[in-house]
Amino acid sequence: EREYDAAGNQTVFRYLDTQGKPVVTTSHYAEMRREYNDRNKLIRESYYGADGKPIALPNGAASVTISYNDQGKETGRTNYDLVGNEIKK
């Protein structure tokens, strides 16, 4: 199941079972939520379990932020754990 914002950006992606309930798959999450900046660039992804609560991926990340330079080129990604602490590489 997918949801989109007014600009057509995918804001939510859910994996559902045959009864239409969220289910964690091999992607390690049931739902992914995305946020975009005013240039429609993806700036954050967050991951959730079937219960709707934040879930960590195998690398420990429950969310990732993406940064860009003034020209819109991606310059970095930062992973955060379940309590919002940056995961050091």
Side-chain angles (χ1 to χ4, degrees):
E1 177 180 66
R2 296 183 173 130
E3 295 177 19
Y4 299 87
D5 64 16
N9 298 311
Q10 183 179 317
T11 57
V12 177
F13 183 85
R14 284 184 202 92
Y15 290 104
L16 304 174
D17 66 15
T18 56
Q19 285 82 40
K21 295 181 182 180
V23 61
V24 174
T25 68
T26 56
S27 296
H28 305 286
Y29 59 85
E31 181 176 308
M32 175 180 55
R33 298 178 194 168
R34 291 179 165 174
E35 298 173 34
Y36 299 84
N37 65 15
D38 58 358
R39 292 180 170 180
N40 291 315
K41 293 282 194 176
L42 178 64
I43 57 170
R44 183 179 190 89
E45 283 187 348
S46 302
Y47 309 101
Y48 298 85
D51 59 2
K53 295 180 182 176
I55 193 171
L57 302 181
N59 67 356
S63 66
V64 58
T65 60
I66 301 103
S67 55
Y68 301 88
N69 64 18
D70 291 339
Q71 291 75 41
K73 181 176 171 27
E74 184 177 320
T75 57
R77 290 178 177 243
T78 305
N79 292 323
Y80 296 90
D81 65 17
L82 287 168
V83 294
N85 295 317
E86 182 178 341
I87 299 172
K88 303 290 184 186
K89 294 181 180 180

